[in-house]
Amino acid sequence: TLIDQSCPKGRYFNPMEFCTGTSCDEGLDRLICCPVAAPCEDLTCPLGRTPSANMSDVYCEGASCIVARDAERCCEEAMPCHNISANCVFGYATNDDTYCDGTECDLARDLDRCCLPAEPCTGLELTNCLVGRFFNFTDYCNGRACEEVRDRDVCCQVAESCRYYDCPYGSLTRP
């Protein structure tokens, strides 16, 4: 085996290789003991990780990339989609089950991935609104599916008081 197990860029040390003679020659055997490594670009980063910014300049620790071994060197932590939640447009809710396509969320890039259609309030149409509130059929719940407790205040909105309503001629205002 080579005394110095460091390999040139784009190669990895393979202790299973054999030198060309009874002892290793640094000049002759370095490329035998250090075969070509797969580029990180061959690796698909797992969920929650995104390709490193310098991925084209980094190599896996073998002839092929293996997620368990190479994800740490080839990928960075991706930012969770819940960091984009305040930016989902009306009618959309955050997809908390996934990650942005980078170490930071970018609304233009990650909108389709992080913001999914929210269920319309009609999913709660059997909800009884409290007195002084009305059920708004045109609004959306705060999630991909409506939940009674979470969405009641969104779908049951404050109604305007009749106090300032001008009744037509011949009608009385209720006290």
Side-chain angles (χ1 to χ4, degrees), residues 6 26 40 45 54-55 84 90-92 101 118 126 128 142-143 145 158 160:
S6 64
E26 291 288 323
C40 280
C45 293
N54 62 344
M55 188 181 230
I84 206 169
F90 179 73
Y92 285 79
D101 194 24
L126 297 177
N128 291 320
N142 281 328
V158 175
E160 186 175 350

Side-chain angles (χ1 to χ4, degrees), residues 120-127 135 141 146-148 151-152 155:
C121 283
T122 52
L124 290 179
E125 65 185 313
L126 297 177
T127 297
F135 191 83
C141 293
C146 292
E147 293 177 13
E148 178 79 27
D151 298 317
R152 184 180 295 128
C155 297

Side-chain angles (χ1 to χ4, degrees), residues 74-131:
C74 297
C75 308
E76 299 175 307
E77 269 191 56
M79 184 171 276
C81 278
H82 65 77
N83 288 292
I84 206 169
S85 64
N87 295 314
C88 288
V89 295
F90 179 73
Y92 285 79
T94 306
N95 182 2
D96 290 325
D97 298 337
T98 195
Y99 296 82
C100 294
D101 194 24
T103 56
E104 298 289 325
C105 292
D106 177 89
L107 185 60
R109 177 192 66 214
D110 298 316
L111 183 66
D112 290 343
R113 167 187 291 233
C114 292
C115 298
L116 299 175
E119 184 176 4
C121 283
T122 52
L124 290 179
E125 65 185 313
L126 297 177
T127 297
N128 291 320
C129 296
L130 299 173
V131 174

Side-chain angles (χ1 to χ4, degrees), residues 149-166:
V149 173
R150 179 193 65 205
D151 298 317
R152 184 180 295 128
D153 287 342
V154 172
C155 297
C156 290
Q157 297 177 355
V158 175
E160 186 175 350
S161 170
C162 292
R163 177 180 296 164
Y164 302 107
Y165 180 72
D166 290 329

Side-chain angles (χ1 to χ4, degrees), residues 5-117:
Q5 296 180 356
S6 64
C7 294
K9 184 177 182 175
R11 295 180 171 269
Y12 71 100
F13 183 75
N14 186 351
M16 304 306 288
E17 291 289 346
F18 293 95
C19 295
T20 56
T22 55
S23 63
C24 292
D25 179 294
E26 291 288 323
L28 292 174
D29 297 321
R30 175 130 344 252
L31 296 182
I32 292 172
C33 294
C34 295
V36 174
C40 280
E41 293 170 325
D42 291 355
L43 180 75
T44 300
C45 293
L47 181 67
R49 306 208 44 101
T50 189
S52 296
N54 62 344
M55 188 181 230
S56 62
D57 202 33
V58 180
Y59 295 85
C60 294
E61 283 290 319
S64 61
C65 296
I66 299 170
V67 172
R69 178 191 65 208
D70 299 313
E72 196 63 36
R73 98 180 297 127
C74 297
C75 308
E76 299 175 307
E77 269 191 56
M79 184 171 276
C81 278
H82 65 77
N83 288 292
I84 206 169
S85 64
N87 295 314
C88 288
V89 295
F90 179 73
Y92 285 79
T94 306
N95 182 2
D96 290 325
D97 298 337
T98 195
Y99 296 82
C100 294
D101 194 24
T103 56
E104 298 289 325
C105 292
D106 177 89
L107 185 60
R109 177 192 66 214
D110 298 316
L111 183 66
D112 290 343
R113 167 187 291 233
C114 292
C115 298
L116 299 175

